Structure formats: C-alpha cells, structure tokens
Amino acid sequence: MGFLEVKDLKVHFPIKGGIFGRTVDHVKAVDGVSFTLEKGKTYGLVGESGSGKSTTGRAIIGLNKITSGNVTFEGNDITANNRSRASFRKDIQMIFQDPYSSLNPKKRVIDLVAEPLRNFEKLSRKEERIRVQELLELVGLSPESILKYPHEFSGGQRQRIGIARAVALKPKLIIADEPVSALDVSVQAQVLNFMQEIQNELDLTYLFISHDLGVIKHMCDHIGIMYKGRFVEEGTANEIFESPQHIYTKRLVAAIPEIDPHKREELKKFRLEVNTEYEQAYNDYFDEEGLAYGLKPISDTHLVALPEKG
Amino acid sequence: MWKFSLRRIMIMIPQLIVLSIFIFVLAKMMPGDALSGQIDPNIDPERIEEIRVQMGWYDPWHEQYASWIGGVVTGDFGDSFRFKMPVTEIISQRIVNSFWLSLVTLILTYLIAIPLGITSGRYNDTLRDQLIQGYSYLGFATPLFIFALVMLWVFGFKLGWFPTSGSVTPGLEPGTFDYFMSKFYHLLLPALSMALIATYNTILYLRNEIVDTKQKDFVLTAKAKGASETRIYNQHILRNSLLPIAAFFGYEITLLIGGSIFIENIFGYPGMGQLLVESVTLRDYSVVTATTLLFGAASVLGALLSDIILSIVDPRIRIK
Amino acid sequence: MAEKLLEIKNLKTSFRIRDEYHAAVDDVTLTVNKNEVLAIVGESGCGKSALAFSIMGLHTRAKIEGNILFKGEDIANVAPSKLNKLRGKNMGMIFQDPLTALNPLMKIGDQIGEAILLHNNTLSKSQRREKVVNLLQKVGIPRPEHVFEQYPHELSGGMRQRVVIATAIANEPELLIADEPTTALDVTIQSQILDLIKDLKDDMDSGIVLITHDLGVVAEMADRVAVMYAGQIVEVGDVLTLFEEPLHPYTRSLFNSIPNAHGTQDKLHVIQGIVPALQNLPRSGCRFAPRIPWIDEAAHEEQPILHEVKPGHFVRCTCYKHFKFPEETKEEQHHGVS
C-alpha cells in the first residue's frame, strides 16, 4: 500500500458553446493517470505547458473537480466524500508558483502563516505567535519579521513564507506546483536546498510539479512524464534521464541545454537524430488522436507507454 | 459574430421581463392613484371606489401586469390620466426630442473627451495633463443641475445666445431646413451643458487606458520596428485604449438618461425626462411606467450595443 | 580581425527615483562583432535588459551617458527620427514574452508587414504580403498564408515567438538583440527557437546580443559571454574560457547554484544575501563584496576595474584571486588539522 495512490484519475473540463452555452465537448486535461508516492520521497511530475501536470496536483488536493478515478491517502479514499476530505486537508498542503501573487498583500506575515492554524487548531494568541515565530525560524526568516507585509520581502523570502504556511500544520504531503519557476537561479537554489532540509527534518513527501528538467532531476526520486493528460513514461530519475524509452521523453531530455559549450556540436547532432526518430516513429508511439498508450512495465520501476504488440 | 450577437440578444429578453415586472410592481406600490387627486372632492367616495373596481385596481397584481404587458407589447401603454390621450401618442413626440438631445450630447461628449483623454494620456504628468485632469475632476465634482442653471443663466438669459426653453421655434413648418436648424439650435445649449459635465469619466478612463497601454510590450515591439511616436499612437495604442471606452458605452447611456431628467426640466425641453418628472408629480402612472420602462430598455439596449461594438473591434471576442 | 559592429563605451544608464539618478547600467564597455553571439548573463535586476533597451533606445525616461557606436556612428542620445531609421532595419529586437509582445488587435501579417513598410514604402501591398509570407515560412510557421490572416491569440506561445522573430528579422538586420527569447517557452520549443536564431545568424551574417539568465542557453549559443552583476560587467571572455575557468566569485557562484540535468550534485550553492535594489546599490568598492563576507576586505580593490587576465578574458576586482567557497575553506582547514 502506497502513501498516496492515484488511480486512473481523470479531470475533464466542459467546453461551452452554441447559443445556449451548452456543453459541446470536453477538454481532457487529465485523462487516466495512475501513480504512487512513497513516504518521505519526492515524486516529480514533468510535462510541457498544457500537459495536465498542474491539474493533476490541483485535483489531488481538491482544487479541481475529479471527473473519475480515485486518490487514496494512507489507505483512505479521499475522493469519496467531503467529510473525510476535511481531515486530510491538514495533511496535504500546497506550495504555489508565484510568490508574488499567492500571498495576500494586505495581510501581515503573522496572519498569513497563522491562517491554516486558525482553520484547524484552536490556539491562544500567545501560542499562535510562538508557533508562527518557530515556523519563520524554520524557514530561515527572522522571527521579528512577523509584523511585516509580503512586499517587504524578496521573492525567495516570500516563497519561504509560502512554505512556512504550507508546513504550519505539520502536513505529511506537500504538493509543490512550480515552486521555483518565478525565481532567479541563486534564489532558486536557496529554496530548493531548504525544501530538501525540511523534508528530512519533518519527514515530508513531495509531489514536485515542474517543467524544468534540471530542477526535477535534482529534487526527485521518481519521475512521471506527462503529455496531453496522460503519462508517457515513469521511472526513477536515473532511468528517465539516462535511458529514456519513450520517444517523447527522449526528445524532451535531448532538448535540455547542456552547460558545456564543448558538447554543442555533439548535442546538436544528437538532437537532430532524436527529432528525426520522433517524426518517423510518432505513429508508433501515439494513437490516432495523438495520445499516449497505457503504461507497460519494462522493469520493476520503469514504465513506458507502448502500444500492445501483435 | 452573429452567433454572439444572437446569444447576447437572448440574454436581454429575461432582463427586460424582470425590468418590466419591477417597474410595474413599484408603480403599484406608490401611494394614491390618479383618482385621489384629480377628481372633484364632491363626488361620492363610493362612486370612486366603483370606478376603481371597474378599472381593475383591486385585481391580483399579476393579472394587472399581464393585461398591462400585453398592451405594451402591442405598443399600447394605456391612456394618460392627465392628457386624456394614449400614452403612446404623448411619448412618440417626446421620444424623438430626447433621442436627438441624447445623440448630440453623446457626440459632443466624445468630441470633447476623446481628444482631451488622448492628450492627457499621451503627455501624462505634464502641465497639459494636469490641466485636463483638473477639468475632469471639476466636472466630476460639479452637480449637473447647478452647472446647467449657470449655463442657462449666462448663455440663455444674460448673453441671449441661445433659446431658454422649448425644442423648436413655434410656427415653423416641420421638414424645412429652418425647422431643422431651429431644433438643433434649441438642443445645443442643454446638450453642451450635459456633455461638459459628462466628459469626466471618459477622459479619465481613456487617460488611464493610454497610460497603461503605452507600457505594454507590443508598444516596445512597434518602437523596435522603427515606428514613429505618432504612428505608434495611431496604429497601436489608440485602438487598444478605445476598447474599454466602447465597453463603457452602455453605461454612458444610463448616465445620459439620468442627466436628461435634470437637463430637460431646467431647459424646459419637451423630452422624456421632463415628461417623467411631470407625470410623477401628477401621479400619471401609465405615463410614469411607460417612460421608466423605455428608459430601462434604453440602458439594456445600450449595454447590448456596446457588447456588439466590442465584438466587432476585438478579435478575441469575435472568435467565441 | 573580426569586423566590429557595435561598440559600447563606458555606458551609464540612469533612472530617476525620487529626484535622484541611479545607474542601472554602470560603466559598461563591450563590443559585438559581425556573425558573433555575445551573451549577457545575470539575474533579474543586474541591468542586462536595461543595457539592451539602451542599445535600442527604448528607454523613455533615462539618462544615458557614454557612447554606443553602431558601425562607428554614435547612436546614444540621437533624435528618435534618426534612430527610427536604424531600428527595425539595421537592428532588430526579439522580446521575452511572446504573449504580450504582439498587438492583440492586429493581424499577424500586418504586424510583420509594418516592419517592412516602415523601411521600404516602394513595395506594393501584394509584394509586401509575399515578403511576409516568405518570412513566416523562414521562421518555420506552417501554413503561412493562413497565419497571415490570424490574430495573436489564435497561435501558441512558440508560434507567437516565431512571429516576433519574423518581425525582428524582416529587414535582415545586422544586429539582433534577443532579450530572454526562450524564457517563456517549453524546452523542446526553446531548442527549436535557439536553432532558428542560430541559423538566421549564419544566414544574415548578423551580430547577436543574447540576454539570458540561463547558463545552459549560453553554453549552446554564445561565442563570447559577459556576466553582469549590479549594473556592471564583472567578467567577459569567450565561452570556452568562461565555462572552463570562470574567475569572478559571482560567475563561479552562479555556476554552482544551478541544478543540472546532466550532472549530479547533492547540494546547490546559495549566494548569501540578496541582489540589492537599484536605489541601494553600493556605489563604491566591489559590488559583490557584501555577498561574500567571508572574503577579507583587503582582497577587494577600492575602485574595481576590469583586469585582462588572458587575451580577451577580463575580470573585475582583484577579489577573484583570493576567492574560495566556504566549503572549500572548511575542507582545507580539515586537511590542515589531519
């Protein structure tokens, strides 16, 4: 039994059309996704814009309505009804991409960080203050800054406030949706290091959503590659980066710029090969609608979306 | 685009129905009726009651509404108690006057506001901009009826440049050029008074839009292409900045209706606004409901118009 | 000897903040040659975009001092009418965000066509159209005839960026400035766009100024690299030298802080402190000093200048000679004890 199990998750958005605004079709943002998170590990969800990776994360925490499929958290189905949801809301928290817009600019840090505490725990003012100060210290901000407003912080500091909020209730799982995409590299490094530190300290599990393969490789133990709402490949970080099997993954990994100007020519040639292969083999790897097939295991951990043979 | 317009018109129908019910119920709730004030007090109150019953005064409201709306749809608003003639007939003369007054006001408003708004936005934070903004805020702060009175006093009575009441010089043959000019001459001062005050929101809105738009990236792209400042304004900034003004058009009409009620009374201009106020004071309900309904319908139509204009100029809406 | 296309000499671009001028670009001297990609690297607020905007004359309210020589002619502070003859014709610019860089109310064809029209009004409408369609084809847009009639919102981000590029190269400019051209795009699209820019460069023999924060992109594209910090160039050199032996503490820190998809590292290096805001930039001494406080003050120059350490490789300040990461220092101490 996995820590978090997602089974055949589908999130379809209706498309309204016609004179009466009836539902004429659906956008299949997430179309049958299954994966399992192990406790204390980081699972990376990768894909290009529109692949459905963020929708998947948002559906797990309940921000997007699930069309079908289920999500089991520590053995309990959290898609079933809203009442059981409430108790898990504490255990699963989310970190958002943009530290500039995800914090209410009119609230002080103490109110921002205490907000989840107020929703779930009854603390006296003094206890609350102490907890917030502890949390700020944990994320490396000075406890005196509780009376400041978000605009008084830099981007990296703001993202730490977002993290302080997320860890306030001692969650077990954090869904991080592009947590460093809006940050400069040096600030990004700070936030990534810090996320790893508190993972060890608080025994956290991450679902790490990003389009940045460098960040994903650095952070994740297991990786799932999404394309048009489906998984094309899943495996350990090593498997995905060192021996990608699906043509889509190959092309994606090949496209990452290498920080070595010597390899420029080599990489260019390699990319050309992969692109040629991609174009030639496209129909073998995708169905008539251009969607990926179901995942087939090629080893214990490595799954690839390949068509049924024969 | 046709699909969009059609859908938009369909949305309008329930709006109009709700509006008509609202107006009808409100009118019913007003104290007194035409009989209580207008009839000779010597007439036996029982007889008055009889007339009331005859007129359907005590029928359930929805039945009264049904018979009223049935008439409205066929263009029959009932008879005016005061004029003892069909409301439709009274209104048809007035509505033409009000239409022209509103149109000229609207044209004057945009004629004044658009160049000022553009200047203010293009040269923001300069003396020019501050003067224009000062004027707008003054317009915002000045009550229309006081301003209109001052205009009437100065240009109508003191200087005698404009007629002080009516909509046309009596005795002119309708259809002649003189008649047309006289009409225009009569509505110029009220229209100008209203326009000078009504410009403020268009000016300020346009200014802010331009200040916003000129910081957009596509303006930089145009600049990097080598486009001159004038060209950038004409080709890129203005069209984008005028979009919200088009969206504002419907609201502008609503404001205009509110303003015309003051203006027509002050200038003794025989339009819908004047008719409404007179009828309210005389409890001429059939006229009140008819004018209010038409005013309401005009606002709804204005909103429709601005949506359609918007869908024509903005390709992003056109597609849907 | 390579032919000099652009020469920037002691450029200082300042903005007024509360009645005081603050330099976002300070004492920048650079050259760009024909058929060369010069990458300018740095984090947000380092002045790299302000530098690009200064070259193109896109700043509206900035004080520009120093010289910007385009083919020998100084274009810093020239009249807009004169600049407009160069912009779009001899120099083109590619902007960062293709979602906002195009006019939402104008057809794609007209937007590219405008760049042609502005510099060549002898063409007929149909000739211009033909040229635009060719351009769309050149930047790899399928069905160019159809896209000509479309509006920006009907295209994907990658396609829009191709349109932005088509606009920039409409008149085959000798100098192309690309300001974070792929930051808003997915990696597979990024590699396509970068290839496109490279091909166009070879095609037109243009010089390219590539502004980016992504060292991967630099490694793929650049011939020479300038690293900027707090408005100044802290290191310049050819790409191989800079990637093999970066010298300035900032350059080295930057390299150590990127998570690399091709390498392995346990912990990323974190640069202490934050990039100072424009109003708070240190105006004297080494600007990077506050971020490497463990380095002895005496290691820094009083007025740091660029030192040529190897032909073509310049480093600002003398602190690079004494710089070590805190981890390295610890290791050494450790060794010393054992």
Side-chain angles (χ1 to χ4, degrees), chain C residues 265-317:
Chain C
Q265 70 258 70
D266 289 340
K267 205 136 180 95
L268 302 170
H269 174 68
V270 173
I271 305 175
Q272 287 189 16
I274 54 166
V275 178
L278 186 54
Q279 308 93 286
N280 308 329
L281 284 186
R283 290 297 166 201
S284 63
C286 177
R287 294 186 180 186
F288 196 61
R291 312 213 43 195
I292 42 170
W294 64 92
I295 300 297
D296 188 13
E297 254 176 66
H300 299 287
E301 262 174 295
E302 236 164 77
Q303 276 313 323
I305 52 159
L306 283 169
H307 303 273
E308 188 159 21
V309 284
K310 249 175 44 179
H313 187 183
F314 293 86
V315 186
R316 193 178 289 272
C317 193

Side-chain angles (χ1 to χ4, degrees), chain B:
Chain B
M1 192 209 132
W2 285 112
K3 228 177 180 176
F4 173 82
S5 305
L6 198 62
R7 200 161 91 201
R8 188 61 189 72
I9 291 166
M10 306 268 291
I11 295 168
M12 208 178 79
I13 292 167
Q15 281 179 336
L16 285 175
I17 292 172
V18 171
L19 177 76
S20 68
I21 293 175
F22 192 64
I23 289 169
F24 184 78
V25 170
L26 275 184
K28 280 289 146 192
M29 278 161 57
M30 287 213 276
D33 58 48
L35 298 183
S36 44
Q38 296 272 307
I39 287 175
D40 187 339
N42 295 325
I43 291 181
D44 182 7
E46 275 176 34
R47 174 68 193 133
I48 296 179
E49 273 311 292
E50 240 171 76
I51 299 173
R52 281 184 177 149
V53 173
Q54 256 180 24
M55 286 170 57
W57 196 255
Y58 296 112
D59 290 349
W61 75 269
H62 51 90
E63 276 178 32
Q64 293 187 41
Y65 172 75
S67 75
W68 174 71
I69 200 77
V72 167
V73 173
T74 55
D76 176 13
F77 288 95
D79 286 348
S80 158
F81 299 123
R82 181 160 62 113
F83 296 99
K84 310 280 182 271
M85 59 194 282
V87 174
T88 319
E89 218 168 287
I90 305 168
I91 286 179
S92 59
Q93 306 162 4
R94 304 283 192 126
I95 208 165
V96 179
N97 285 339
S98 278
F99 174 77
W100 288 114
L101 177 63
S102 309
L103 188 71
V104 173
T105 309
L106 213 57
I107 292 171
L108 285 176
T109 306
Y110 286 134
L111 230 51
I112 301 167
I114 290 176
L116 289 184
I118 290 172
T119 316
S120 190
R122 180 164 172 178
Y123 305 102
N124 66 320
D125 302 329
T126 61
L127 183 66
R128 260 189 277 189
D129 172 38
Q130 280 158 359
L131 285 176
I132 294 170
Q133 280 200 72
Y135 157 66
S136 317
Y137 287 122
L138 212 63
F140 173 69
T142 314
L144 175 62
F145 63 95
I146 291 180
F147 181 71
L149 278 174
V150 172
M151 291 287 280
L152 180 66
W153 183 70
V154 174
F155 295 100
F157 291 105
K158 278 282 157 193
L159 297 170
W161 292 354
F162 292 98
T164 53
S165 74
S167 74
V168 68
T169 314
L172 288 173
E173 186 70 28
T176 60
F177 181 71
D178 283 347
Y179 181 82
F180 171 78
M181 282 311 286
S182 168
K183 278 235 143 186
F184 182 68
Y185 188 40
H186 276 80
L187 60 77
L188 201 56
L189 189 61
L192 194 65
S193 307
M194 193 148 56
L196 282 173
I197 292 285
T199 44
Y200 73 88
N201 53 49
T202 310
I203 294 178
L204 292 179
Y205 214 82
L206 189 56
R207 173 190 186 272
N208 293 343
E209 272 308 315
I210 289 177
V211 171
D212 250 25
T213 311
K214 70 180 178 188
Q215 287 161 1
K216 294 246 165 89
D217 285 355
F218 65 80
V219 172
L220 286 175
T221 309
K223 213 169 162 184
K225 282 184 216 173
S228 67
E229 178 121 351
T230 314
R231 191 186 164 88
I232 290 174
Y233 272 91
N234 293 339
Q235 294 287 320
H236 297 278
I237 296 180
L238 285 187
R239 201 163 161 209
N240 279 282
S241 308
L242 284 171
L243 270 188
I245 301 293
F248 220 54
F249 182 71
Y251 178 62
E252 200 74 36
I253 286 184
T254 317
L255 287 179
L256 213 58
I257 291 169
S260 75
I261 295 173
F262 287 116
I263 286 289
E264 291 180 3
N265 276 291
I266 289 165
F267 287 90
Y269 186 85
M272 296 283 283
Q274 196 195 31
L275 182 66
L276 177 69
V277 175
E278 283 173 11
S279 309
V280 168
T281 42
L282 294 170
R283 306 219 164 98
D284 196 349
Y285 290 143
S286 42
V287 180
V288 173
T289 43
T291 39
T292 320
L293 186 64
L294 286 174
F295 278 156
S299 320
V300 174
L301 273 171
L304 170 75
L305 211 58
S306 55
D307 277 3
I308 291 178
I309 294 173
L310 212 55
S311 78
I312 292 170
V313 273
D314 194 337
R316 287 164 296 188
I317 296 177
R318 213 182 299 162
I319 287 306
K320 285 174 194 161

Side-chain angles (χ1 to χ4, degrees), chain C residues 35-200:
Chain C
N35 199 5
E36 174 190 63
V37 179
L38 171 75
I40 298 177
V41 198
E43 296 184 283
S44 45
C46 72
K48 57 192 194 300
S49 281
L51 172 61
F53 275 45
S54 303
I55 300 169
M56 288 295 284
L58 294 177
H59 289 302
T60 37
R61 289 173 193 184
K63 190 168 81 178
I64 293 181
E65 293 157 276
N67 310 91
I68 303 169
L69 304 175
F70 180 72
K71 295 202 288 182
E73 194 186 345
D74 197 346
I75 55 166
N77 295 315
V78 298
S81 58
K82 208 170 168 197
L83 208 51
N84 279 339
K85 292 205 175 82
L86 292 172
R87 285 197 288 224
K89 186 171 193 294
N90 305 81
M91 16 194 243
M93 181 147 177
I94 302 168
F95 293 90
Q96 170 171 1
D97 189 354
L99 301 187
T100 56
L102 297 169
N103 186 340
L105 302 184
M106 213 170 168
K107 281 181 189 168
I108 297 295
D110 293 336
Q111 303 205 34
I112 302 172
E114 189 182 25
I116 300 168
L117 175 76
L118 285 168
H119 301 284
N120 181 359
N121 50 19
T122 58
L123 294 178
S124 73
K125 219 178 159 186
S126 62
Q127 283 173 310
R128 206 161 65 225
R129 189 191 167 96
E130 198 186 326
K131 241 187 129 176
V132 171
V133 170
N134 282 339
L135 278 166
L136 286 170
Q137 211 149 23
K138 199 167 175 182
V139 295
I141 289 181
R143 298 203 295 153
E145 293 276 357
H146 178 71
V147 172
F148 187 98
E149 302 290 343
Q150 283 188 305
Y151 288 93
H153 70 273
E154 298 172 74
L155 303 178
S156 69
M159 283 299 142
R160 281 191 229 188
Q161 192 61 309
R162 286 171 195 267
V163 172
V164 172
I165 293 174
T167 312
I169 61 157
N171 297 305
E172 308 215 336
E174 292 141 282
L175 178 69
L176 196 57
I177 296 173
D179 186 5
E180 303 268 10
T182 56
T183 306
L185 306 173
D186 282 322
V187 287
T188 49
I189 314 289
Q190 162 169 294
S191 80
Q192 291 166 13
I193 296 286
L194 293 179
D195 282 345
L196 174 67
I197 294 176
K198 242 186 292 183
D199 291 345
L200 291 170

